[in-house]
Amino acid sequence: MRSLGIAVLTLLAAQAPARAEPKLERVVLVSRHGIRAPTASLAALETRTGRPWPAFPAEPGELTAHGAEALSRMGAYLRSVYAKAELLPETGCPAVNAVQVWADGAANRTRRSGQILADAIVPGCGLVARHGPVGAVDPVFDSGRVCPLEPVEALAAIQRRTVGGTAVTDKPSEKAIAALKRVLGPAACKAVPAACLDGPSTLVATPTGPKIEGPLALAATVSENLLLEYAEGLPADQVAWGQGTPETLAALLPAHRRSADLLRRTPEIATFRAATLLQMLADLLMGEAPRGLGVPPLGASARLVVLAGHDTTLSNLSGALGLGWSLPGQPDPTAPGATLAFEVWHHPETGRRTIRIRIFAQTLDQLRSARALGPSDPPVSLPLAIGICPARDGGCDLEAFATKVRAALPPVCVR
C-alpha cells in the first residue's frame, strides 16, 4: 500500500506543470567611461606632488586607445549576458529603438564611450550613441547644475556624517594617506610641503558646494591617478614610481573612496545631483517615456537603455538609492567601465514585476590587459541590496521602487 502511495505521488509530481521562471523584460545600464588620462596636466601633478609623472598616450582627461579596447570588452560581455537572457537577439540586430544609448555630451570621453558601448552591445547595427550639446552640462549626469542644493545645506549634510566636520578622515583613509606618504618619499615632502601629507583634512564651503582640503584631498586625487597608470598598462617602473603593485594600489585607494563617499554619496547631495537620472530611471523601468527637467528624447519602447557617464554618476546613484558594494580584485568601486544594471523581471505566476540591481566591473588585471571577457574569465558581477526598497522574492517590487524614487526627488528638481 505504501509503495502504491509513493507511486501515485511520483506520478502526480511528474504531471505537475513546471514552474514558470521569471523573464527579463527591460534593462537600464549606467556605465562609467573607459580608462582616461589624468584630468590635470603632468606639470600640475608634479607641482602638487613633488614627483615627475609619466606621459599618458592621450591628452588630459581623454579616453585612451587602451581604455577604448577595455571598454569594448566590457560591452561585448554585457551583450552576451543579455543575449543569453533573451533581451537581445543572439544574432542580427534588435528592433528599431529597442536599444538606445545616451552619453554625457559635456566630455569627449563620455561621448566616445557611449559609441564604443553601442558598437559592442549591438555590433554591426549602426546604432548611434546620442548626446546633448557638445560641452554643455547635461542634467542627466549632473542635475546639481540646474537644481542645486544650497551650499550651506550640502556642507551641513556632510558635517552630520563627520561629527560636525571634525572627522573628515576615517581609519582606512588615514592608513591610505600614511601609505601614500611612504610612496612619495621624503624628497617629495622637501620639494612640496603639501606632499608631506601632514596636518588635518578639513571641509570647506565654496559657492559650488563642499570641498575637502588637506591630505585627504591630495591622496584621493593621487591614488586615483596611480590606479589609472596601472589600468592603462604603463610599464611597471612607471606606475607609482615603480611601487604600483596591486597590493600597493589597494592600500592607497581608501583615500579616494572616503572622499567620494563624503562628496558624492552623502544622500542629500546625491539625490540632488542625480535627480534627473533618478526620474528617468523610474520612468524607463516602468516602461514609460521619460519626462522631467532636462530629460533626453528616449522612447518607452526601449528594452535596453545604456547611459554613458562618470564615476560621479555611479556614486550619486549609490548614495541616493542606498547601494553599496566592494569589488574583488578591484579597489575602486567605480572603476573605468564599471556598470550598474537595473533589471526589470516579470514573474508569470503572480504577474508581479520586480527590479534587481547588479554591478559589473573589470578587475585591475582585466583592465590592464584589456583581454576578452567570457564564461572562463568574467568580470566581477554582484547583486546589490537596494537600501530604499527592501527586496522580496528575489527583487524589489517595481512599483514600490518607482514610488520611493519619485517621492525622494527634491521638489525644485521636478518640473
Side-chain angles (χ1 to χ4, degrees), residues 122-273:
V122 284
C125 297
L127 179 64
V128 175
R130 294 179 293 162
H131 55 78
V134 172
V137 173
D138 186 336
V140 173
F141 303 100
D142 189 0
S143 294
R145 300 289 185 91
V146 292
C147 59
L149 176 62
E150 289 296 327
V152 172
E153 295 180 31
L155 182 64
I158 299 177
Q159 288 174 332
R160 287 192 290 271
R161 300 183 59 205
T162 57
V163 195
T166 63
V168 176
T169 55
D170 57 5
K171 287 186 177 180
S173 61
E174 288 168 359
K175 289 182 179 179
I177 291 168
L180 180 59
K181 186 172 183 175
R182 293 191 293 272
V183 169
L184 290 175
C189 177
K190 186 176 181 180
V192 180
C196 299
L197 296 170
D198 293 327
S201 298
T202 57
L203 283 171
V204 179
T206 76
T208 57
K211 282 180 56 180
I212 294 173
E213 292 187 347
L216 180 61
L218 182 60
T221 297
V222 172
S223 60
E224 181 185 26
N225 287 331
L226 296 181
L227 182 140
L228 290 172
E229 290 180 346
Y230 187 92
E232 173 60 22
L234 295 186
D237 62 352
Q238 294 184 15
V239 179
W241 307 283
Q243 304 170 71
T245 64
E247 294 75 19
T248 297
L249 294 174
L252 299 178
L253 260 291
H256 178 64
R257 293 200 297 268
R258 177 64 172 177
S259 176
D261 180 51
L262 294 178
L263 298 178
R264 304 172 186 171
R265 294 187 68 252
T266 294
E268 296 88 341
I269 295 173
T271 303
F272 266 84
R273 291 185 177 169

Side-chain angles (χ1 to χ4, degrees), residues 5-390:
I6 293 174
V8 170
L9 290 174
T10 302
L11 179 62
L12 290 174
Q15 293 176 343
R19 182 179 179 182
E21 293 296 322
K23 184 173 180 60
L24 186 62
E25 283 194 342
R26 65 183 68 90
V27 174
V28 177
L29 300 176
V30 184
S31 297
R32 180 187 173 180
H33 56 73
I35 301 161
R36 58 161 173 78
T39 54
S41 69
L42 301 181
L45 290 172
E46 183 170 354
T47 298
R48 294 190 67 187
T49 61
R51 297 294 299 265
W53 286 71
F56 255 71
E59 293 299 310
E62 293 295 330
L63 189 71
T64 66
H66 180 88
E69 183 179 5
L71 184 62
S72 180
R73 301 293 196 188
M74 175 60 91
Y77 181 81
L78 292 171
R79 170 182 169 71
S80 71
V81 168
Y82 292 114
K84 184 177 180 180
E86 300 181 353
L87 192 76
L88 296 172
E90 287 283 356
T91 59
C93 298
V96 176
N97 293 327
V99 179
Q100 300 182 40
V101 181
W102 185 264
D104 185 7
N108 188 44
R109 61 181 177 270
T110 43
R111 297 194 300 272
R112 287 187 59 201
S113 292
Q115 191 58 54
I116 289 165
L117 289 170
D119 293 338
I121 291 174
V122 284
C125 297
L127 179 64
V128 175
R130 294 179 293 162
H131 55 78
V134 172
V137 173
D138 186 336
V140 173
F141 303 100
D142 189 0
S143 294
R145 300 289 185 91
V146 292
C147 59
L149 176 62
E150 289 296 327
V152 172
E153 295 180 31
L155 182 64
I158 299 177
Q159 288 174 332
R160 287 192 290 271
R161 300 183 59 205
T162 57
V163 195
T166 63
V168 176
T169 55
D170 57 5
K171 287 186 177 180
S173 61
E174 288 168 359
K175 289 182 179 179
I177 291 168
L180 180 59
K181 186 172 183 175
R182 293 191 293 272
V183 169
L184 290 175
C189 177
K190 186 176 181 180
V192 180
C196 299
L197 296 170
D198 293 327
S201 298
T202 57
L203 283 171
V204 179
T206 76
T208 57
K211 282 180 56 180
I212 294 173
E213 292 187 347
L216 180 61
L218 182 60
T221 297
V222 172
S223 60
E224 181 185 26
N225 287 331
L226 296 181
L227 182 140
L228 290 172
E229 290 180 346
Y230 187 92
E232 173 60 22
L234 295 186
D237 62 352
Q238 294 184 15
V239 179
W241 307 283
Q243 304 170 71
T245 64
E247 294 75 19
T248 297
L249 294 174
L252 299 178
L253 260 291
H256 178 64
R257 293 200 297 268
R258 177 64 172 177
S259 176
D261 180 51
L262 294 178
L263 298 178
R264 304 172 186 171
R265 294 187 68 252
T266 294
E268 296 88 341
I269 295 173
T271 303
F272 266 84
R273 291 185 177 169
T276 298
L277 178 52
L278 290 167
Q279 176 70 67
M280 272 185 60
L281 277 174
D283 292 341
L284 288 169
L285 294 171
M286 288 291 291
E288 303 168 4
R291 58 191 187 279
L293 182 64
V295 299
L298 299 175
S301 61
R303 298 196 69 201
L304 176 63
V305 172
V306 182
L307 302 172
H310 309 264
D311 54 351
T312 52
T313 313
L314 301 184
S315 293
N316 291 160
L317 285 176
S318 171
L321 299 176
L323 309 176
W325 60 88
S326 178
L327 303 172
Q330 174 54 266
D332 185 353
T334 56
T339 300
L340 279 172
F342 296 80
E343 303 174 344
V344 174
W345 291 84
H346 178 237
H347 302 258
E349 291 187 337
T350 63
R352 291 180 64 238
R353 285 175 171 79
T354 59
I355 177 171
R356 301 174 186 174
I357 303 179
R358 286 202 280 172
I359 181 73
F360 293 94
Q362 288 148 291
T363 65
L364 264 181
D365 187 50
Q366 288 170 334
L367 284 174
R368 185 168 175 82
S369 65
R371 61 181 180 267
L373 305 170
S376 62
D377 187 18
V380 178
S381 172
L382 300 174
L384 302 181
I386 308 172
I388 68 164
C389 186

